[in-house]
Amino acid sequence: MNEVPFILLYCTITFVIGSMLGLSYSYKKYAKPYVEKTLDSTALISAIIGGLAFTVNAPISVLFLAFPLGMRPGYGHSEFCLGVLIALIGYILLTIGIV
């Protein structure tokens, strides 16, 4: 019988924990519905760390990436996209050997 890889279970658990942390953080920080047009530095840093850590440890990466995705509706999505883009560019530059 085939066994399910435990890494998927760990990724699922850390995704739920990261989403809950992001939701709790965004409700404490932002009392109003989506009205601000600024980037949240905590969510951006979390997305960059999660993107860069993906090749090292998937569950920890999923935890950091789920933080901005789990934020209140209207917040965190631009930070997630920008953080993953910066992490992707950094990873490409590191593998090419430019940096």
Side-chain angles (χ1 to χ4, degrees):
M1 213 181 240
N2 294 335
E3 292 185 28
V4 177
F6 286 111
I7 193 79
L8 295 177
L9 177 64
Y10 298 147
C11 288
T12 305
I13 291 170
T14 56
F15 182 80
V16 170
I17 291 171
S19 296
M20 289 188 316
L21 290 173
L23 188 64
S24 174
Y25 169 77
S26 64
Y27 269 108
K28 287 180 184 176
K29 185 169 182 179
Y30 303 109
K32 298 180 182 179
Y34 187 67
V35 293
E36 297 181 18
K37 299 290 183 188
T38 61
L39 290 175
D40 186 12
S41 61
T42 306
L44 183 62
I45 291 170
S46 173
I48 292 171
I49 291 171
L52 291 175
F54 194 73
T55 58
V56 179
N57 192 347
I60 291 177
S61 172
V62 169
L63 175 73
F64 282 108
L65 285 174
F67 183 81
L69 281 181
M71 289 176 75
R72 184 178 179 165
Y75 295 100
H77 299 288
S78 57
E79 287 90 348
F80 173 78
C81 293
L82 187 61
V84 169
L85 182 68
I86 290 171
L88 182 65
I89 291 170
Y91 178 73
I92 290 171
L93 292 175
L94 285 174
T95 56
I96 292 175
I98 294 175
V99 177

